[in-house]
Amino acid sequence: MIYAAPPMARLTALGLRGADKEVLEAVDSLGATARQRLLSARIPLARRELLLGVNQTIMMALSMAVIASVIGAGGLGDRVYQALASVDVGAALAAGIPIVLLAVVLDRVTGAAGSGPASPEGPRSPGCPPSPSPSPRRSPGALRAARSGPTPGPWTSPGRSTAPSTG
């Protein structure tokens, strides 16, 4: 636990200090108390850094699982250590796969929680740029007009073609 705590502390401090000054000024201008400023502005603005700190803490704790089993701690790392001590590489690999899968799943979950609400395009991989914006939406009136066909012009009466007669 002592090994995994410093990233969380540093990233929490970074996130809380890095809050947008203009937002904090707006919250102050509305007469918020220090507690309200923390809960309604600083923590939501620091969400990404806070969840990154949680992610790093989890990853560092999982990385210590096998090392902790060397000094007698039980858990997932104990089977890996026992297999390595008996020079059974296959058993060590089989025992290490749950640790790796747990790390990958927790990394994806905390990464998704830190990236904000889901976009309409669906989930995207970390590090990938967002997809380009779709074309602007049409108003319902434009959609109705497109479905109903051409609108009558000055040359037509209902039931006649919109093209002027050629003679």
Side-chain angles (χ1 to χ4, degrees):
M1 184 63 184
I2 293 172
Y3 175 73
M8 184 65 199
R10 290 189 69 193
L11 287 166
T12 300
L14 174 71
L16 293 176
R17 284 189 200 133
D20 189 5
K21 302 297 180 197
E22 293 170 351
V23 173
L24 295 176
E25 184 179 333
V27 170
D28 284 338
S29 70
L30 293 172
T33 64
R35 182 178 182 166
Q36 289 171 333
R37 187 176 32 233
L38 176 69
L39 295 176
S40 66
R42 283 192 184 268
I43 290 177
L45 289 172
R47 175 181 172 197
R48 179 166 287 160
E49 286 83 6
L50 292 172
L51 289 170
L52 181 63
V54 169
N55 181 316
Q56 292 301 306
T57 300
I58 290 170
M59 294 303 117
M60 292 184 86
L62 284 173
S63 72
M64 293 301 294
V66 176
I67 296 170
S69 69
V70 172
I71 61 170
L76 288 174
D78 193 36
R79 288 191 179 178
V80 176
Y81 179 67
Q82 288 174 357
L84 287 175
S86 64
V87 193
D88 189 358
V89 177
L93 181 65
I97 287 175
I99 297 172
V100 172
L101 290 176
L102 182 63
V104 168
V105 167
L106 291 174
D107 178 55
R108 296 297 176 189
V109 167
T110 56
S115 66
S119 66
E121 293 89 29
R124 60 184 177 93
S125 300
C128 291
S131 55
S133 323
S135 61
R137 292 189 174 189
R138 295 183 180 178
S139 68
L143 186 59
R144 272 194 302 276
R147 283 188 189 152
S148 65
T151 57
W155 303 288
T156 62
S157 61
R160 293 190 57 192
S161 170
T162 58
S165 62
T166 57

